[in-house]
Amino acid sequence: MAAFNFILSESARNLIRNRGSFLLSTIVQAICLLLFSLFVLITINIFRFIGGAQRRIEVYAFLYDKADSTSLMENIRLLRGVADVRYVSKEEALAELKEELKETTSLVEVLGKNPLPASFRIQLEPGSRTLEELERIEEKISILPGIREVWSGKEIIRRLAKAVRLVIGIDIALLVIVAISIVFISFQTVESTILLRSREIEIMRLVGASESTVRSPFLLEGLVQGFAGGIIASLLVTAFYQITAVQTQIIVFPYLTLFVTNIVFGCILGLIGSNIALTRILK
Amino acid sequence: MAAFNFILSESARNLIRNRGSFLLSTIVQAICLLLFSLFVLITINIFRFIGGAQRRIEVYAFLYDKADSTSLMENIRLLRGVADVRYVSKEEALAELKEELKETTSLVEVLGKNPLPASFRIQLEPGSRTLEELERIEEKISILPGIREVWSGKEIIRRLAKAVRLVIGIDIALLVIVAISIVFISFQTVESTILLRSREIEIMRLVGASESTVRSPFLLEGLVQGFAGGIIASLLVTAFYQITAVQTQIIVFPYLTLFVTNIVFGCILGLIGSNIALTRILK
Amino acid sequence: MIEFSDVSKIYGNFWAALSDINIKIDQGEFVFVTGPTGAGKTTLLRLIYRDELPTKGIVKVFGHNLTTLRKKIIPELRRQIGIVFQDFKLLYERTAYENLEFSLRVIGIPKSVIKKKISDTMERLGIGHKSDSYPFELSGGEQQKVSLARALIKDPLILLADEPTGNIDPDGAAEILNIFREINYTGTTVIMATHNTKLAKSSRKRCIALDKGNLISDGSI
Amino acid sequence: MIEFSDVSKIYGNFWAALSDINIKIDQGEFVFVTGPTGAGKTTLLRLIYRDELPTKGIVKVFGHNLTTLRKKIIPELRRQIGIVFQDFKLLYERTAYENLEFSLRVIGIPKSVIKKKISDTMERLGIGHKSDSYPFELSGGEQQKVSLARALIKDPLILLADEPTGNIDPDGAAEILNIFREINYTGTTVIMATHNTKLAKSSRKRCIALDKGNLISDGSI
Ligand SMILES: Nc1ncnc2c1ncn2[C@@H]1O[C@H](COP(=O)(O)OP(=O)(O)OP(=O)(O)O)[C@@H](O)[C@H]1O
Ligand SMILES: Nc1ncnc2c1ncn2[C@@H]1O[C@H](COP(=O)(O)OP(=O)(O)OP(=O)(O)O)[C@@H](O)[C@H]1O
Ligand SMILES: [Mg+2]
Ligand SMILES: [Mg+2]
């Protein structure tokens, strides 16, 4: 197409003429994308934390001092949903406590006798880390002879499930808001360019320009803007990565994925926005 | 001025014609102001916390079991910078520890004898809550006979001073950034309105409109935009207030001040931005 | 080549800018369209380059019925038609040269081949020394000549000129009429709308006279 | 009232649009400015309403030297001058009525008193039925008449008309000239630029002829 060069130079002309509002819109788009990236980041890390917490769920079964730990352990191990059972003796329990209370060593040392009970630490199979399963298993164990008390993290499970629902909800809402914002911003910028150039468009058409020649510069403008917004967001994410993840190494940071996603996302939404502007104004 | 009505209707016309970019710019301005408000909020609360922490600074002086607490107390009370001295006996110290370790009551109960020393809790006068003063007083006390050890929150003071400097630095930086952004955005919007209306302006001048009639609608546009941005930011702050402060009641929230500040700030910066645009484009 | 059959154009449901026009213009003809202000001259031309559609009747150009012409074909139609607009329609932010360049590049003609063509056309109309001037730096007549140059430069099959001498002095107008005659000799159909009845008369060409949207005479006068 | 003393206007450092012009126009005169395209007619008018400043020499209007006139006074000067622009300078986004209204309200005349004035002026020019039309809905001549109405409506002390009949047919042009004569009788100074030398001649008024920026004759012809 011989007009390709022409379209490119026209687009450049547009951008230079509108550089102020182009800059403004690009920055806003970048901020939107950055916001989204940060939230994706938070989500990923929350899920990782939740996964870790679920994996660490244990049921504690405390024994009477005289209970027959070996046969009890066998019984528990046979229960459906139980992955592993570990016996913690009275002495081990005390050692654990000492460990936990590090700062008050002197207190622990003056203890005359050991008041702590022996216990089983019961780990569950992945499929059984739900509220209903936990209640079933807890009940089964508590009626066994020699078991003084059963304690499980039911409350934790309940809260985790709630957290997951909340995070997913916020994520979807934010995705929609960010997407709409970016489309709106592209639409807005391209629309005002079209209005500013409406005379030029009229004349182009009158001298015989094809529809694609008329439209391409505007589509390109939306694309470039989305792309620029994506690049800026990606650079900010990179800066953030350098500051946080590299130094602290606590959080998961799928940094390259975010980089690419921002740009692709920006381009697509930019195109959609300018397309809407074109179909709305240029009948 | 007979043209006043005219200026008003022209401004309204401008706003309606540019409603898209007006909306966009207003939202961006609102976000800037909101950001600023939140930071002011954080600052206020950090300062309150720092103030509280400073007020609570105490020097602990631990006594040998046989020390003469009454005369020691007299001596310490006479030191320059000391506001108040409180004697905490061995029994009181144990009671305090019991209180702090709430969850492990059983452990404390089984203690045979009391291993904790008696101590003085020394409060300082406001002017002496600095690093140098603290060191001086600490030294003076530690050479008194019967004092086993002196402990003061030197490190805390050092950190607090650092935090204060940091917060003030960030605050000023943010204030400058937000102010520049808002001025830039107003400038941008008004500039593009002027460009869009340059033909109208030319004609206005040719038919004899005074400079103030030509300029006022644009100044008004900047003002309205700053005002709108301020209002939106204030509403968001209010929403935030309802969610956080009212429910939790932990943080200080000078909510009315922020509300007014946002609006005034928005108006002034909006006017400055449109004024720059006017003097730059309309020679 | 151009055929109006019972064409009426009614703006806004009641204002008849043209009523029941029947005309036929053959390839290579030279036709004046005359009439006072508001007679419908510009409207007639706009129907030919499909800027407006007739409210009633059929307009045929190059054998195409413009009412049913597919939208994608419109640009191709317009590439064959050179138009001098009554209000010039120059791009304000481009120089005279760039205005001509724009109109050629927009239809896909590469930059390399158009330079000479532009300077030739501008010389011919006597505005070669103004090629780097922006429209606001040109006098009314000079702007009109740039608009004229833009229509001529693409060697159109049909030239539509709407009041092309309204801002040009009598001598200049005669020169332009000569240029029109020249390109008419090479086979281009020329249709010129003007209120300057005297000019039209003196040229002894076919003359379509309109008044208030009605065809009141058609033929040489 | 209007006085040019050794006035030259040079655009872009080398293009002399006007060279050493000396003229004096008294209150109540009726003056034509004639000359071919690019002669400097529009430039001459623009110097009078201080749209441009002379490169050399002095232009005096109402006794003010325009070069040293304080910027704040310019609007007051222009309020006394009605201008018909060669390119009309209508606001595209307002109807004919609103265009007139705008030009009055901008100079502080309240809405209530202008309604009758506008419709009277439009009737007088024969465009009363077009008052709700936007410029793009008007024919070239109708637009020119709106521009004319805008200049007349403020009862100016000086009327500057730049090619005010370029888009209007001979009969219409004669009518407009009559209107100019009428307002000239009431004391308004009328200066009309045109390339229509015949029209100027037939009216037996003072005629300032320009060519390539030079004054080649001044007086009735
Ligand atoms: N888009 C439109 N909407 C409504 N009316 C219109 C429109 N375009 C033209 N008209 C009206 O149609 C009539 C004919 O207009 P046209 O422009 O064809 O006249 P013309 O013969 O070219 O006149 P002129 O010599 O003044 O240019 C005029 O009265 C005009 O007001
Ligand atoms: N702003 C400008 N910058 C540079 N040159 C200019 C400018 N304005 C006018 N000119 C040039 O000055 C000369 C006189 O222009 P002017 O508009 O006065 O002519 P005119 O007599 O009104 O012609 P016409 O009858 O075509 O309107 C022209 O050659 C024009 O190109
Ligand atoms: Mg016309
Ligand atoms: Mg002129």
Side-chain angles (χ1 to χ4, degrees):
Chain A
M1 196 181 187
F4 185 68
N5 264 336
F6 173 74
I7 290 171
L8 276 190
S9 70
E10 283 302 299
S11 308
R13 212 183 157 105
N14 272 2
L15 284 185
I16 291 167
R17 214 154 77 186
N18 278 21
R19 62 194 174 290
S21 52
F22 175 77
L23 191 70
L24 190 61
S25 311
T26 304
I27 290 173
V28 180
Q29 285 194 342
I31 292 172
C32 288
L33 284 172
L34 182 68
L35 207 79
F36 182 67
S37 297
L38 292 184
F39 214 77
V40 165
L41 212 60
I42 294 172
T43 307
I44 291 172
N45 284 281
I46 287 179
F47 275 127
R48 199 185 73 138
F49 171 79
I50 289 175
Q54 275 180 331
R55 227 169 298 119
R56 258 179 283 110
I57 282 175
E58 282 182 336
V59 177
Y60 287 55
F62 298 95
L63 306 181
Y64 286 112
D65 283 3
K66 284 146 225 162
D68 176 3
S69 60
T70 339
S71 74
L72 260 174
M73 188 143 132
E74 282 309 304
N75 283 338
I76 292 173
R77 213 189 283 282
L78 289 174
L79 287 174
R80 182 155 50 82
V82 170
D84 193 24
V85 182
R86 190 163 64 85
Y87 177 68
V88 177
S89 67
K90 287 173 78 78
E91 293 73 33
E92 285 165 342
L94 184 63
E96 259 184 16
L97 183 65
K98 268 189 195 169
E99 186 71 7
E100 272 172 27
L101 291 177
K102 250 183 216 136
E103 292 167 331
T104 50
T105 332
S106 53
L107 282 180
V108 180
E109 266 164 6
V110 293
L111 276 172
K113 64 180 179 64
N114 184 349
L116 301 176
S119 61
F120 289 124
R121 306 284 161 85
I122 301 150
Q123 280 184 349
L124 303 180
E125 282 169 358
S128 300
R129 286 172 195 151
T130 65
L131 209 55
E132 302 79 43
E133 279 293 280
L134 216 58
E135 275 178 346
R136 186 180 59 77
I137 292 169
E138 200 181 321
E139 211 186 299
K140 283 266 169 67
I141 295 173
S142 66
I143 55 173
L144 291 176
I147 297 293
R148 198 159 89 177
E149 210 186 325
V150 181
W151 182 91
S152 73
K154 262 193 296 191
E155 193 46 35
I156 294 177
I157 289 268
R158 197 175 284 134
R159 285 201 190 149
L160 286 181
K162 222 168 142 181
V164 168
R165 277 200 304 274
L166 188 72
V167 168
I168 291 178
I170 295 181
D171 256 11
I172 292 174
L174 207 78
L175 181 69
V176 171
I177 292 175
V178 166
I180 291 178
S181 305
I182 294 180
V183 167
F184 174 72
I185 294 165
S186 290
F187 164 72
Q188 199 41 66
T189 324
V190 172
E191 191 191 54
S192 75
T193 319
I194 293 176
L195 289 179
L196 214 66
R197 291 196 53 203
S198 54
R199 229 180 135 260
E200 217 153 322
I201 291 170
E202 189 205 339
I203 295 174
M204 275 170 107
R205 285 177 162 168
L206 288 177
V207 298
S210 65
E211 250 340 72
S212 66
T213 308
V214 171
R215 280 163 188 258
S216 302
F218 298 105
L219 282 180
L220 214 57
E221 186 185 356
L223 181 68
V224 168
Q225 189 173 306
F227 182 73
I231 287 273
I232 294 177
S234 290
L235 291 179
L236 291 176
V237 167
T238 308
F240 190 71
Y241 176 63
Q242 294 297 342
I243 294 169
T244 59
V246 170
Q247 294 199 354
T248 62
Q249 293 184 335
I250 337 174
I251 59 171
V252 187
F253 204 128
Y255 141 74
L256 257 169
T257 316
L258 276 180
F259 201 99
V260 175
T261 312
N262 272 332
I263 295 176
V264 172
F265 212 50
C267 289
I268 293 175
L269 296 178
L271 268 182
I272 293 176
S274 47
N275 212 23
I276 294 175
L278 278 171
T279 44
R280 227 191 63 159
I281 305 191
L282 303 180
K283 335 100 254 201
Chain B
M1 196 183 185
F4 183 68
N5 264 336
F6 174 72
I7 289 172
L8 276 191
S9 70
E10 284 302 298
S11 307
R13 212 182 157 107
N14 271 2
L15 283 185
I16 291 166
R17 213 155 78 187
N18 277 22
R19 60 193 174 288
S21 52
F22 174 77
L23 192 69
L24 189 61
S25 310
T26 303
I27 290 172
V28 179
Q29 284 194 344
I31 292 172
C32 287
L33 284 172
L34 181 67
L35 207 79
F36 183 67
S37 297
L38 292 186
F39 215 77
V40 165
L41 212 60
I42 294 173
T43 306
I44 290 172
N45 283 281
I46 287 179
F47 276 126
R48 197 186 75 140
F49 173 79
I50 289 174
Q54 276 181 331
R55 227 169 298 118
R56 258 180 283 109
I57 283 173
E58 282 182 335
V59 178
Y60 287 57
F62 296 95
L63 307 180
Y64 285 111
D65 281 5
K66 284 143 224 164
D68 174 4
S69 60
T70 340
S71 74
L72 261 175
M73 190 145 133
E74 283 309 304
N75 284 336
I76 291 172
R77 212 187 284 278
L78 289 173
L79 287 174
R80 181 157 49 82
V82 170
D84 193 25
V85 182
R86 189 165 62 86
Y87 177 69
V88 177
S89 65
K90 287 174 77 80
E91 293 72 35
E92 283 165 345
L94 184 64
E96 261 183 18
L97 183 65
K98 268 191 196 165
E99 184 72 8
E100 271 172 30
L101 292 177
K102 252 182 213 132
E103 292 167 333
T104 51
T105 330
S106 54
L107 281 179
V108 180
E109 267 167 6
V110 294
L111 276 172
K113 65 179 178 65
N114 184 348
L116 302 174
S119 62
F120 289 126
R121 306 284 162 86
I122 302 152
Q123 280 183 349
L124 303 181
E125 283 169 356
S128 299
R129 286 170 194 152
T130 65
L131 208 57
E132 302 78 44
E133 280 293 281
L134 215 58
E135 273 177 346
R136 186 180 60 77
I137 293 171
E138 198 181 324
E139 212 186 298
K140 283 266 170 69
I141 296 174
S142 64
I143 56 174
L144 292 176
I147 299 293
R148 198 160 89 177
E149 212 185 326
V150 182
W151 180 92
S152 73
K154 260 192 296 189
E155 194 47 35
I156 295 177
I157 290 266
R158 197 175 284 135
R159 285 200 191 149
L160 286 181
K162 223 168 141 181
V164 169
R165 278 200 304 275
L166 187 73
V167 168
I168 291 179
I170 295 180
D171 255 12
I172 292 175
L174 206 81
L175 181 68
V176 171
I177 292 175
V178 165
I180 290 177
S181 306
I182 293 179
V183 168
F184 175 73
I185 294 164
S186 290
F187 164 72
Q188 198 44 64
T189 325
V190 172
E191 191 189 54
S192 74
T193 320
I194 294 177
L195 289 180
L196 214 68
R197 293 196 52 201
S198 53
R199 226 177 138 263
E200 215 153 323
I201 292 171
E202 190 205 337
I203 295 173
M204 274 170 108
R205 285 176 163 170
L206 288 177
V207 297
S210 65
E211 249 343 70
S212 66
T213 308
V214 171
R215 281 162 187 257
S216 303
F218 298 104
L219 281 180
L220 213 58
E221 186 187 358
L223 181 69
V224 168
Q225 188 174 304
F227 181 73
I231 287 274
I232 295 177
S234 290
L235 291 179
L236 291 176
V237 167
T238 307
F240 190 71
Y241 175 64
Q242 296 295 341
I243 294 169
T244 59
V246 171
Q247 294 201 353
T248 63
Q249 293 185 335
I250 336 173
I251 60 171
V252 188
F253 204 129
Y255 139 76
L256 256 169
T257 315
L258 276 180
F259 201 99
V260 175
T261 311
N262 272 332
I263 295 176
V264 172
F265 212 51
C267 288
I268 292 176
L269 295 178
L271 268 183
I272 293 177
S274 49
N275 212 24
I276 294 176
L278 278 171
T279 44
R280 229 192 61 160
I281 305 190
L282 304 180
K283 333 103 252 200
Chain C
M1 186 185 218
I2 300 174
E3 210 182 322
F4 280 59
S5 318
D6 288 326
V7 170
S8 293
K9 177 67 195 176
I10 297 167
Y11 286 116
N13 288 325
F14 68 93
W15 188 268
L18 288 177
S19 313
D20 292 316
I21 304 293
N22 282 291
I23 43 178
K24 195 162 173 305
I25 298 172
D26 288 325
Q27 177 129 26
E29 270 199 84
F30 193 127
V31 182
F32 283 96
V33 179
T34 61
T37 283
K41 306 182 291 298
T42 301
T43 304
L44 187 98
L45 300 189
R46 288 175 72 196
L47 288 172
I48 296 174
Y49 58 90
R50 226 225 83 150
D51 196 28
E52 291 283 355
L53 283 175
T55 314
K56 211 182 66 98
I58 292 170
V59 178
K60 276 195 179 170
V61 177
F62 302 132
H64 299 294
N65 177 343
L66 297 191
T67 308
T68 57
L69 190 70
R70 277 170 45 231
K71 279 217 160 179
K72 283 199 71 169
I73 314 292
I74 300 176
E76 283 169 37
L77 173 77
R78 290 188 182 156
R79 283 171 201 203
Q80 311 301 331
I81 306 179
I83 314 171
V84 188
F85 300 96
Q86 192 171 10
D87 56 355
F88 316 154
K89 294 207 194 295
L90 299 179
L91 298 167
Y92 300 136
E93 285 162 10
R94 303 182 196 237
T95 63
Y97 182 91
E98 286 168 349
N99 263 284
L100 297 185
E101 186 187 56
F102 181 85
S103 74
L104 291 178
R105 298 215 53 207
V106 125
I107 58 178
I109 299 175
K111 205 167 184 169
S112 47
V113 305
I114 57 186
K115 200 164 174 177
K116 175 132 176 43
K117 228 177 143 114
I118 294 177
S119 59
D120 283 356
T121 311
M122 292 186 87
E123 284 306 337
R124 189 173 175 193
L125 288 166
I127 46 171
H129 58 301
K130 291 288 177 188
S131 69
D132 289 336
S133 298
Y134 288 90
F136 72 89
E137 298 172 333
L138 296 173
S139 81
E142 288 161 353
Q143 289 180 38
Q144 192 153 40
K145 285 180 178 174
V146 175
S147 179
L148 200 55
R150 186 176 59 188
L152 294 176
I153 202 168
K154 54 181 182 178
D155 299 324
L157 288 176
I158 303 177
L159 178 74
L160 304 179
D162 196 354
E163 211 75 75
T165 58
N167 285 276
I168 295 171
D169 47 288
D171 292 352
E175 251 171 65
I176 286 169
L177 224 61
N178 269 335
I179 294 176
F180 284 4
R181 276 204 201 91
E182 274 172 40
I183 76 157
N184 181 236
Y185 284 139
T186 68
T188 299
T189 310
V190 177
I191 304 178
M192 173 168 159
T194 183
H195 57 248
N196 195 335
T197 336
K198 238 172 276 167
L199 192 80
K201 268 181 194 154
S202 68
S203 69
R204 293 156 196 281
K205 298 281 183 187
R206 176 175 171 194
C207 188
I208 297 173
L210 298 174
D211 194 12
K212 292 186 184 142
N214 298 304
L215 184 72
I216 53 172
S217 81
D218 182 357
S220 2
I221 30 174
Chain D
M1 184 187 220
I2 300 174
E3 209 180 325
F4 281 58
S5 316
D6 288 325
V7 171
S8 293
K9 177 67 195 176
I10 297 168
Y11 286 116
N13 288 326
F14 68 92
W15 188 268
L18 287 177
S19 312
D20 292 316
I21 304 292
N22 282 291
I23 44 177
K24 195 163 174 304
I25 297 172
D26 289 324
Q27 178 131 24
E29 271 199 83
F30 194 127
V31 182
F32 283 97
V33 180
T34 60
T37 283
K41 306 182 290 296
T42 301
T43 304
L44 189 97
L45 299 188
R46 289 175 72 197
L47 288 173
I48 295 173
Y49 58 89
R50 226 226 83 152
D51 197 27
E52 292 282 354
L53 282 175
T55 315
K56 210 181 64 86
I58 293 171
V59 178
K60 276 193 176 168
V61 178
F62 301 131
H64 299 294
N65 177 343
L66 297 192
T67 309
T68 57
L69 190 71
R70 276 169 47 228
K71 280 216 159 178
K72 285 199 71 168
I73 313 293
I74 300 176
E76 283 171 36
L77 173 77
R78 290 190 181 154
R79 285 174 198 201
Q80 310 301 331
I81 306 179
I83 314 171
V84 188
F85 300 96
Q86 192 170 9
D87 56 354
F88 316 154
K89 292 205 194 299
L90 300 179
L91 297 168
Y92 300 136
E93 286 161 10
R94 302 182 194 237
T95 64
Y97 181 91
E98 286 168 347
N99 264 283
L100 297 185
E101 184 187 56
F102 180 86
S103 75
L104 292 177
R105 298 215 54 209
V106 126
I107 58 178
I109 299 174
K111 207 166 183 167
S112 47
V113 305
I114 57 187
K115 200 162 173 179
K116 175 134 175 41
K117 227 177 145 115
I118 294 177
S119 60
D120 283 356
T121 310
M122 292 185 88
E123 284 307 338
R124 189 174 177 193
L125 289 167
I127 46 172
H129 59 302
K130 290 290 176 186
S131 70
D132 290 335
S133 298
Y134 288 92
F136 72 89
E137 296 173 336
L138 296 173
S139 80
E142 288 160 352
Q143 289 180 38
Q144 194 153 38
K145 285 181 179 172
V146 175
S147 179
L148 201 55
R150 186 175 59 188
L152 295 176
I153 201 169
K154 55 181 179 177
D155 300 324
L157 288 176
I158 303 177
L159 179 73
L160 304 179
D162 196 355
E163 209 78 76
T165 58
N167 285 276
I168 295 171
D169 48 287
D171 292 351
E175 250 171 67
I176 286 169
L177 224 61
N178 270 334
I179 294 176
F180 284 4
R181 276 203 203 93
E182 273 171 40
I183 77 156
N184 180 236
Y185 284 140
T186 68
T188 299
T189 310
V190 177
I191 304 177
M192 171 168 162
T194 182
H195 56 247
N196 194 337
T197 335
K198 237 172 278 166
L199 191 79
K201 269 183 195 150
S202 67
S203 70
R204 294 154 197 279
K205 298 280 183 188
R206 177 175 169 194
C207 187
I208 296 173
L210 298 175
D211 194 12
K212 291 186 183 141
N214 298 305
L215 184 73
I216 52 171
S217 81
D218 181 357
S220 5
I221 28 174

